[in-house]
Amino acid sequence: MSTAILTGQPVPGSSIEGDLRSLGFDVRTASDAAETETLLAQVPGDQRVAVVDAGFVGHLHALRLGLTDPRFPLAAIPGAVTAQPGGRQALTRAMARENSAGGGTALVVDSLADRIVTALDADDAGVHHPELGSLVAVVPADPQARNEARQAVAAVDDEAVRLKSAVKSRDGFFTTYCISPYSRYIARWCARRGLTPNQVTTASLVTALVAAGCAATGTRAGYVAAGLLLIFSFVLDCTDGQLARYSLQYSTLGAWLDATFDRAKEYAYYAGLALGAARGGDDVWALALGAMVLQTCRHVVDFSFNEANHDATANTSPTAALSDKLDSVGWTVWIRRMIVLPIGERWAMIAVLTALTTPRITFYALLVGCAFAATYTTAGRVLRSLTRKARRTDRAAEALADLADSGPLAQALAGALRNPARKLPGFTAPAVALLGGLALVASAAFTDFGGPWPIIGAAVYTVTSALAVARPLKGALDWLVPPFFRAAEYGTVLVLAAKADVNGALPAAFGLVSAVAYHHYDTVYRIRGNAGASPAWLVRAIGGHEGRTLLVTVLAAVLTASQFKVALTALAVAVALVVLVESIRFWVSSGAPAVHDEGEPA
């Protein structure tokens, strides 16, 4: 429920009251500031409220952007201000101060709504001012200005502006030129029929799962159908975000569903390709798992770098300046976006190769493309980090610690190593994380299955992991610590399953890495939604990255290859059940505020 209070003298022929009602507001009128304050106090605190000048002239979509976006507690456009429950207290204070002053600022700002916004901005209340572009939103001072404003409104098609703004400005080349020109109209069709972004997201997931099933048939017809369905799933994946922007239906749950379903769709498709190849006598499970490990580690690099730097101060570097300069040249923008193989280009490549070639060729191309993209993006971020003099905040350090996913063993050792760690150089954390991970994977890769060396490697890895997080992760390259941990854990599972050399071990490892990766993605989106990280009990229950790694190496040493396969399967099921149940419980019941729109994930 939302309530809008119209203030000032009604204007003959004005459509503002009808526009507000069409946006779902219950409209009340007030003649002055005192009556506005009274009516404001009568609106229940759990409702959105808006104060709008009765003389407002502008586009309906300008009002929609200013008054209905769920992402911001306080928002305003000229002649109108709104507050969600989280911003009501600030609005009430500003209204009371304006009323007690007797409209003292009226000589500067005539509109009551604008005077309230001036007071809120003076209080640094965090009022969101949406970018209106060509949309009109004004409170005319006289009949001539009103007539000119109405002519300006008639000259701009707000529906065309609304459709254009539904498309993200930083999408990839394939998405921008091959999908969005028509998917935006699908989004409008969905909006006019009352469909929600979450429903479209679910339809995209179902379509991708059907595509994976077609790929699993192992037939040429199945591969062609799989490629087509994967493209259609991506069309729906674009549509859900465009629908959210078109109708301003943002939510934390929606952002989480969109992100996690993207990963579920892609990795389920990898599994479908591997099953289809197996039907044809070709075992590509190692390639499928390798592609998932590489892709997940790429994402962790993105997440860690962004969390480390998004609120850092003095956050500039010559490398970043050069990057911005290159982006000012039209063609370089698209080249740079394409070579990082974002989701649109990647899924298009997978779909075409699935239809025309074999799963093995598809995975080879995917691995080469993703490896090049990962090298390019990581090298650029390392250069930026080394050339900038950023000062990272406690919040950034806490986010990196949460992304590290340290379990009880690493946390206990980190406490014991805290004082010695303070005396070490600033690059210690990523260096020891890398060396420990390399030692772990090498101990599994260069010894026979069932030997003790992987256990020794896991023990060394546990100590180095604890040393890496023994002090706050505020160093220039400390954002590399979580990706190194992910690569070590996932890589160890992959190597040991391959070394087992028994039918079903690699699919079991694929399931285990999928379950653990889900937990890591879930942690990322809790942090992005300002909902906190995964609870400590959950991290303890599934052992942390070092605990799971140590357990897997012990299982490989004490069990036969066949028993190891069964143990991996059981561990995958157990981890999946725990993290899924807690994740679904949290996102359904958290009540977290809507999040800001994210850029296209890699």
Side-chain angles (χ1 to χ4, degrees):
M1 185 66 179
S2 302
T3 299
I5 301 172
L6 275 178
T7 66
Q9 296 299 318
V11 177
S14 173
S15 64
I16 181 63
E17 184 170 348
D19 288 344
L20 290 171
R21 294 189 188 280
S22 72
L23 295 177
F25 284 93
D26 175 32
V27 181
R28 305 178 188 179
T29 59
S31 59
D32 54 27
E35 189 175 0
T36 301
E37 183 178 16
T38 300
L39 291 177
L40 184 63
Q42 294 173 357
V43 179
D46 61 349
Q47 291 186 17
R48 175 192 286 272
V49 66
V51 177
V52 183
D53 195 289
F56 176 89
V57 175
H59 287 100
L60 177 62
H61 192 50
L63 281 173
R64 184 181 289 109
L65 289 172
L67 303 183
T68 68
D69 195 324
R71 297 174 294 172
F72 309 102
L74 291 164
I77 57 175
V81 60
T82 185
Q84 293 195 74
R88 286 288 299 274
Q89 187 175 8
L91 179 67
T92 300
R93 284 198 303 266
M95 182 71 248
R97 189 161 63 251
E98 171 60 30
N99 195 28
S100 64
T105 58
L107 293 176
V108 180
V109 181
D110 290 331
S111 167
L112 174 60
D114 290 343
R115 296 202 301 270
I116 294 173
V117 174
T118 301
L120 288 169
D121 286 338
D123 291 341
D124 197 21
V127 181
H128 172 64
H129 298 272
E131 186 68 42
L132 297 180
S134 60
L135 296 175
V136 177
V138 295
V139 180
D142 53 58
Q144 181 179 348
R146 176 171 299 280
N147 184 55
E148 292 174 351
R150 286 174 172 168
Q151 291 177 5
V153 169
V156 176
D157 184 351
D158 68 339
E159 178 60 18
V161 173
R162 187 181 180 189
L163 270 175
K164 183 178 179 180
S165 63
V167 178
K168 287 186 293 190
S169 60
R170 290 188 59 83
D171 269 335
F173 181 87
F174 179 77
T175 304
T176 299
Y177 290 104
C178 300
I179 303 297
S180 292
Y182 56 89
S183 62
R184 70 183 75 183
Y185 295 101
I186 301 176
R188 181 172 67 180
W189 183 90
C190 292
R192 291 177 175 177
R193 283 152 183 81
L195 297 177
T196 67
N198 291 350
Q199 290 171 331
V200 178
T201 300
T202 303
S204 177
L205 173 65
V206 172
T207 304
L209 293 179
V210 174
C214 291
T217 64
T219 64
R220 178 52 53 194
Y223 289 148
V224 172
L228 292 173
L229 286 170
L230 187 64
I231 291 295
F232 182 58
S233 174
F234 183 64
V235 172
L236 292 176
D237 184 59
C238 295
T239 299
D240 63 5
Q242 291 165 357
L243 173 58
R245 287 181 289 277
Y246 181 85
S247 57
L248 300 182
Q249 296 183 73
Y250 298 103
S251 71
T252 297
L253 175 62
W256 170 75
L257 286 176
D258 186 41
T260 54
F261 280 11
D262 278 351
R263 306 288 77 79
K265 288 181 287 191
E266 186 166 1
Y267 299 157
Y269 193 82
Y270 293 176
L273 281 176
L275 288 170
R279 286 179 176 271
D282 190 12
D283 186 355
V284 297
W285 275 105
L287 297 178
L289 180 51
M292 180 168 66
V293 170
L294 179 56
Q295 190 58 30
T296 303
C297 290
R298 279 189 65 196
H299 286 143
V300 177
V301 168
D302 295 342
F303 300 145
S304 295
F305 181 81
N306 290 337
E307 287 301 326
N309 292 287
H310 88 281
D311 59 353
T313 57
N315 199 11
T316 59
S317 78
T319 306
L322 175 61
S323 177
D324 293 340
K325 187 175 181 179
L326 288 174
D327 279 346
S328 67
V329 182
W331 63 271
T332 65
V333 174
W334 296 118
I335 294 295
R336 293 175 47 160
R337 290 185 191 177
M338 291 173 67
I339 63 177
V340 299
L341 208 62
I343 188 170
E345 277 74 359
R346 190 170 68 251
W347 282 27
M349 181 186 74
I350 294 171
V352 171
L353 291 177
T354 298
L356 300 180
T357 65
T358 66
R360 180 172 290 273
I361 293 175
T362 302
F363 281 124
Y364 281 153
L366 183 62
L367 286 166
V368 170
C370 287
F372 176 81
T375 301
Y376 171 79
T377 56
T378 304
R381 286 167 177 172
V382 168
L383 285 174
R384 289 189 184 200
S385 299
L386 291 175
T387 56
R388 65 173 32 132
K389 303 297 182 182
R391 291 185 294 276
R392 292 178 173 83
T393 63
D394 291 338
R395 179 203 175 280
E398 182 180 355
L400 290 179
D402 291 331
L403 291 175
D405 191 34
S406 300
L409 290 175
Q411 289 178 353
L413 286 172
L417 295 172
R418 188 159 291 124
N419 288 331
R422 290 173 180 168
K423 302 175 183 178
L424 297 175
F427 59 82
T428 297
V432 297
L434 175 60
L435 292 175
L438 290 174
L440 170 63
V441 176
S443 68
F446 298 110
T447 59
D448 293 332
F449 180 82
W453 284 106
I455 299 179
I456 297 173
V460 172
Y461 174 71
T462 300
V463 176
T464 58
S465 299
L467 183 60
V469 298
R471 63 182 182 185
L473 297 174
K474 292 186 176 182
L477 296 177
D478 284 0
W479 55 270
L480 286 168
V481 170
F484 287 156
F485 287 167
R486 297 296 80 78
E489 179 183 2
Y490 300 162
T492 300
V493 175
L494 168 59
V495 169
L496 288 175
K499 284 279 187 176
D501 196 24
V502 62
N503 188 34
L506 281 167
F510 190 96
L512 176 58
V513 173
S514 297
V516 176
Y518 177 91
H519 163 63
H520 291 142
Y521 282 114
D522 187 60
T523 300
V524 165
Y525 283 93
R526 289 182 190 232
I527 294 172
R528 280 190 170 184
N530 294 317
S534 298
W537 72 262
L538 177 63
V539 176
R540 289 194 298 268
I542 59 176
H545 68 95
E546 82 291 346
R548 289 187 299 271
T549 304
L550 183 59
L551 175 60
V552 170
T553 58
V554 169
L555 292 174
V558 302
L559 300 177
T560 66
S562 296
Q563 291 171 335
F564 180 65
K565 174 192 70 175
V566 175
L568 282 183
T569 303
L571 184 58
V573 171
V575 172
L577 284 175
V578 172
V579 299
L580 278 172
V581 169
E582 161 56 21
S583 176
I584 293 171
R585 180 209 63 78
F586 172 80
W587 289 104
V588 170
S589 62
S590 68
V595 298
H596 294 258
D597 196 20
E598 303 290 348
E600 182 179 68

